[in-house]
Amino acid sequence: MSNAPITVLGISGSLRKRSYNTAALDAAIELAPPGMTLLKADISDLPLYNEDLHTDVYPEMVERFRKQIHAADALLFVTPEYNYSIPGVLKNAIDWASRPPAQPFAGKPAAIMGVSPGAIGTARAQYHLRQVAVFLDLKLVNKPEVMIGGAKDRFDEAGKLIHEPTREFVRQLLVSLHDWATLLKK
């Protein structure tokens, strides 16, 4: 692994205060390898996508989010699974950011992980997000796939990821993202 510095923008697809997915993003921030700075995006104030709101300029909060994506060397999506797919709030954020001009996702290295109380740990949502990523021209890390099931047994009451094998899996994903972003920078 190279220690070349990269900045990663983490995007949680959950707005819930005690979200396991936001807690997993917090764990990723803590577990970031040397050379990686992982920042957290706030998508809670983005309006519902409506092209009428984008005349000559984007709404201020949308422009802020687009600039964060542009500035990042890579992205980390942390998605819950709602109704076998990605949550509307995450899709809404992606829809806003992906509008022309200068779509900020194109060519950007990215990784996906997710947490659920169920056994399959957001697998279906992650595969849907991968389909969206193809259109956005994101360059996704293929492995490891981090699908954290059984959330209540992996996090403590304060929301800290305490399951060491899962923490190691998150570390491996971040190392892969770091290496992938470094390779694509060359």
Side-chain angles (χ1 to χ4, degrees), residues 92 111 118 150 152:
N92 183 64
K152 69 180 178 74

Side-chain angles (χ1 to χ4, degrees), residues 90-151:
L90 179 57
K91 182 66 166 66
N92 183 64
I94 291 168
D95 289 346
W96 266 118
S98 66
R99 304 280 56 107
Q103 191 268 85
F105 294 115
K108 187 95 39 186
I112 302 171
M113 64 183 204
V115 184
S116 75
I120 64 168
T122 74
R124 292 172 291 232
Q126 289 192 39
Y127 289 135
H128 283 183
L129 186 52
R130 285 180 178 277
Q131 290 173 328
V132 172
V134 169
F135 178 78
L136 298 173
D137 194 29
L138 285 166
K139 306 302 182 195
L140 289 177
V141 167
N142 288 321
K143 292 184 182 182
E145 292 180 299
V146 179
M147 301 169 189
I148 305 168

Side-chain angles (χ1 to χ4, degrees), residues 39-114:
L39 307 171
K40 193 187 312 186
D42 178 7
I43 61 172
S44 67
D45 62 350
L46 298 179
L48 291 175
Y49 179 73
N50 177 348
E51 197 164 344
D52 291 342
L53 297 177
H54 175 218
T55 52
D56 292 333
V57 295
Y58 286 99
E60 179 182 327
M61 63 288 290
V62 172
E63 188 58 35
R64 176 200 72 225
F65 182 54
R66 286 173 52 87
K67 285 180 179 176
Q68 288 176 314
I69 295 167
H70 270 295
D73 297 307
L75 303 172
L76 174 64
F77 293 95
V78 188
T79 185
E81 182 171 298
Y82 296 168
N83 300 315
Y84 285 13
S85 191
I86 60 176
V89 68
L90 179 57
K91 182 66 166 66
N92 183 64
I94 291 168
D95 289 346
W96 266 118
S98 66
R99 304 280 56 107
Q103 191 268 85
F105 294 115
K108 187 95 39 186
I112 302 171
M113 64 183 204

